[in-house]
Amino acid sequence: MAFFAGCGAMEARRLAKAFRDNEAAACSAMVRRTECDDINVGSCITPGSVVVPTALAAACENDVALERFDRAVVAGYAVGVRLGRALGGVAALSGGIWPTCFAAPMMAAATAAVARGFDRDGVSSAIALAVARAGGRVGRPAGAPSGRWLAFGDAVASGCRAADAAALGFQGDPSLLGRDWLAAIGGPAHIQPSALRASETDELSATGFKPFVAARQTINAVVAFQRILAKGVATEGISRIDIGVPTANAAMVARRAAPGDRLSAIADMHVQVAAAALRPTLLYSVERDGEPAADLIDYAARIHIHADAALDRYMPEVWGARVRVQSGRRAVEEFCLAVDGDPGHGDATAMLRAKLTRLAPIADQPLCAALLEPANDEARRARLKTLWCAMRARLADAP
């Protein structure tokens, strides 16, 4: 869904051209730039954008069994989520590291290695070779096409190359992946090396879906505001909106959208809440104008964002929000700790179907919708092959 929703944009087509030699990397970058892919909140990792295209490429090109494809996806998610937690999750993001870009080489290497049937030593070598390539600091490149997505595609391609090298017998240093390495990349204050060990939580089922296109840090506040409107509070009668968010997220969501920077408009909570009030359909737009319309800017002046230390107790697993609106003499407050699409909350499949009709081009909706339907292994395998062929065709069509 994310791929087809965003593949027609100029920036996505440039990415397709930039990664002509690595289709998995191209698709990964194109998916991640949409901001409508999945996320594991506790680790601040969006694993699907890396793992699924890499697994599709490796499985379809090598004609592997469905069971191996499934194991490759599970392995990629596990590696990414554990690395993100070990680095400190949202604390690493606050420190200037993009956790998913940091973990992308290792996720891609693990996914490709398992999909291609490497033994334990081969998988270890692939991950170890990828570790030596990891970084994660990309700054804030603006404009379009943005170097942010180029760096992301490079990180995925690097992991794929690590798996190729491991297949040729190259070996890395598995001992590199540890406390000292994490501290050198993210600083010693927030790292959690114990997260690298096997956990009791299934990383795949602990990953959730966003109900609309947004930085995940903004979503609980937007949903809380939507719930207030659903109680009959008229948008035009609201004079003030106070939003409390966890301390670690406050600075990011309060940052104003910058002209020409599409991603900043998606991450600006003022714009997101104003859109929920005035233009709800905008929440499902992948391609945003970096300079929001005047009516949104005017409405956003009513919004005041602050750090709410009471929400810190739910971190890092929950990025909660408290929203209070003043409408005349009436004050209404909503406290939101979970939204539809979060692990174990609501009907994720129903939410995805609704999201699909708003995001993907009509011609691509049947293919995406079929992937949400139950199927036996033979049908699933056929659907995955059809999906990858369709994605590859879009890459080849990029002018």
Side-chain angles (χ1 to χ4, degrees), residues 199-219:
S199 68
E200 297 178 359
T201 303
D202 172 25
E203 292 86 0
L204 194 63
S205 63
T207 300
F209 299 98
K210 302 176 184 180
F212 42 79
V213 180
R216 183 59 185 82
Q217 291 90 333
T218 71
I219 286 179

Side-chain angles (χ1 to χ4, degrees), residues 136-185:
R137 293 188 183 274
V138 300
R140 295 178 189 166
S146 169
R148 177 182 179 86
W149 314 120
L150 186 69
F152 190 81
D154 280 336
V156 176
S158 177
C160 295
R161 286 195 296 272
D164 290 340
L168 295 173
F170 287 93
Q171 297 184 16
D173 179 7
S175 68
L176 180 62
L177 205 167
R179 179 182 294 275
D180 292 343
W181 176 71
L182 290 168
I185 291 177

